[in-house]
Amino acid sequence: LDHQKTFYRFCTQNGIPIVCHCTRGGMFTYDKEFYADYLGIDYREPDGTLDKIIDYLKPHNREEAIRWFNENYINPNAWRPVLEDNNELYLCLAHFTGEASKDYDDDDGWDTWLKACEDGSPQTWYESHPESAIQQMVALMEGYPNVYLDVSYLFVKKYAKPLKWLLEEYPIVKDRMLYGSDWFMLENDETLTNFARDTKSMLDSIGEGLWERLTHTNPKRFWRFESWVDKFKTQLKSATGTYVVKTNNGQGEDAEIELTPAMQAIMQSK
């Protein structure tokens, strides 16, 4: 969107990472089926098969509107215009496309790929779906230096066969993948501990050090920890050894805080 260009430019210039929801299902802040109408965009097929006057009660019209929204705002390739203008932008596409969505005919996602693996090789499906959201993500990582993805709420144990092939065939994914949990959603299905354990077990079966990459090495690079951790420590630690933070109350006063064990560890690391 035009009014967001300044925002993306600011994030790029200041190394501020962006994490964006990147699945066709899930929750939205507005009714995505009406967004094209709000913008005044004619999303109908050019062959004119849809009615000239849109009847909002017709399911097939609503499905077409949802498809338009998904392709223009959720598909990984929707980020290409942003990245073309902001080559160095730190961007993480969350959930690695996620699982199938009831709002979309998911013929290019993990479930379809997994099913295809039962009858053939992962490579056969991958090469026959060049426009799949999964391939779009890989292409963005290959084309831009700071594009990442995470596996939050993606049950990698379930998709072990295609994911193992992808990591072996496209090593760049190993360096751009972050561990994530989406803990709130996980509590509806299983425990956070089980998800972490299953993810680690699957990664360990592929290669040594992958769990370390997803949980330490890659996040450290994406979040640029080394660029701000010293400043963070300096702001917390005063000359007398007490800990303060700069308040934003308009008076410029410092406020004492009680450090958690994790924060104490950061302070004592040097």
Side-chain angles (χ1 to χ4, degrees), residues 35-188:
Y35 199 62
D37 303 323
Y38 166 73
L39 295 176
I41 294 176
D42 186 355
Y43 55 80
R44 296 169 298 175
E45 295 290 345
D47 59 10
T49 56
L50 300 181
D51 296 335
K52 180 68 176 176
I53 300 176
I54 298 176
D55 180 354
Y56 291 105
L57 298 179
K58 289 184 178 180
H60 71 278
N61 284 342
R62 293 298 90 207
E63 291 174 2
E64 192 65 26
I66 291 173
R67 180 179 292 273
W68 175 89
F69 180 89
N70 289 337
E71 291 177 351
N72 287 274
Y73 287 93
I74 299 178
N75 251 15
N77 275 344
W79 282 96
R80 280 197 174 275
V82 175
L83 292 167
E84 288 173 0
D85 292 336
N86 303 276
N87 186 271
E88 301 291 324
L89 177 68
Y90 281 84
L91 173 67
C92 176
L93 301 175
H95 311 300
F96 205 171
T97 79
E99 300 191 44
S101 167
K102 62 182 178 60
D103 295 330
Y104 197 93
D105 181 16
D106 191 15
D107 59 355
D108 66 356
W110 289 102
D111 286 332
T112 307
W113 194 1
L114 181 63
K115 184 177 181 180
C117 288
E118 298 174 357
D119 303 320
S121 70
Q123 182 176 357
T124 300
W125 181 92
Y126 191 84
E127 292 180 348
S128 63
H129 290 73
E131 297 301 320
S132 69
I134 296 171
Q135 285 214 48
Q136 288 181 36
M137 283 193 172
V138 174
L140 287 177
M141 287 187 288
E142 291 179 326
Y144 300 96
N146 299 321
V147 173
Y148 289 71
L149 59 86
D150 76 28
V151 293
S152 55
Y153 204 55
L154 179 70
F155 297 94
V156 295
K157 182 179 180 180
K158 175 181 177 182
Y159 304 113
K161 187 172 182 179
L163 184 58
K164 182 177 186 293
W165 177 87
L166 186 67
L167 292 174
E168 291 175 345
E169 292 295 319
Y170 295 88
I172 191 173
V173 181
K174 297 179 182 179
D175 293 325
R176 303 286 187 85
M177 185 183 290
L178 312 177
Y179 174 76
S181 62
D182 206 349
W183 64 269
F184 179 79
M185 294 298 296
L186 280 178
E187 292 302 317
N188 295 324

